[in-house]
Amino acid sequence: MKVYISVDMEGVAGIATLDQIVRGGSGYGRAQELMTEEANAAIAGAFDGGATSVLVNDSHGTMDNLLHERLDPRARLVFGAPKAQCMAEGLTDDCAVALFVGYHAPAGAPGVLAHTFSAYFGEVRIDGAQVSEAEVNALYAASLGVPVGLVTGDDVIGAIASDVLAGATIVTVKDAHGFSATNTVAPSVARELVREGAARAVAGADALPRPVARTPLRLEVDMPSPVAAELGACIPGCTRTTDRTIAAVLDGADEVLGLITVLYELALSSERARQALTNRR
């Protein structure tokens, strides 16, 4: 049984501040350790539940955060960026189940370090509804016929996932007390919960409802500036619907993730250029 694990950082126990999740911050090294150990807990749980192979995708930021030499050697790892399918890179239709570890609330929601794919995006919507990264990645999994069996993170993403992902095991390792504040269980406790949840999800994968792919999908992304939106509107098929919003009707979730990846890079480059001007002396 092949199991896929996408691991983010913001939803990991013991993590709540920007200093922890941004490379160069004094807390980043410790956050890498916490992320790696929760990934290991999910890998161990997957094998406990009957997995014969596990593929892990490093899904946070620059996507090279996990400490490779400390990762469970039974798993293979996809890392580095950009990746065409972003947080779902490497997921294929022969996977029995997908597990989302360390996930977080979407932009506009009151969760820990809440955002949707980019800190520079205002909000991401599909068919008019605000979506989290978990929901977008689940749409891609559905297009491949793969169910999502586990979502771990704070209480906000847990509530969202329990509403939209039928049958998924939800593991809450911390409660949001603001954008950069949390009430968290100890990392050792979180790892036990994640391992147990992963084992349960994998063991019960055959009983999960088979997801149905939705097409077409209307994607809207609120860009950080008018300049970023102008650039986005140059992409074939994209329309600038407001001063900062780019919209497109797409044939499938793979195209949604691909466009989000391109818009992420546009938002990043436009904001770096603006900040360079703002900080000029």
Side-chain angles (χ1 to χ4, degrees), residues 1 42 72 82 112 117 151 186 194 209 232 250 269 281:
M1 181 192 303
D72 189 321
V112 177
F117 290 101
V151 177
V194 170
L250 303 164
S269 63
R281 294 291 184 266

Side-chain angles (χ1 to χ4, degrees), residues 220-238:
E220 295 174 280
V221 177
D222 294 337
M223 300 292 279
S225 66
V227 171
E230 289 172 6
L231 293 171
C234 295
I235 300 171
C238 289

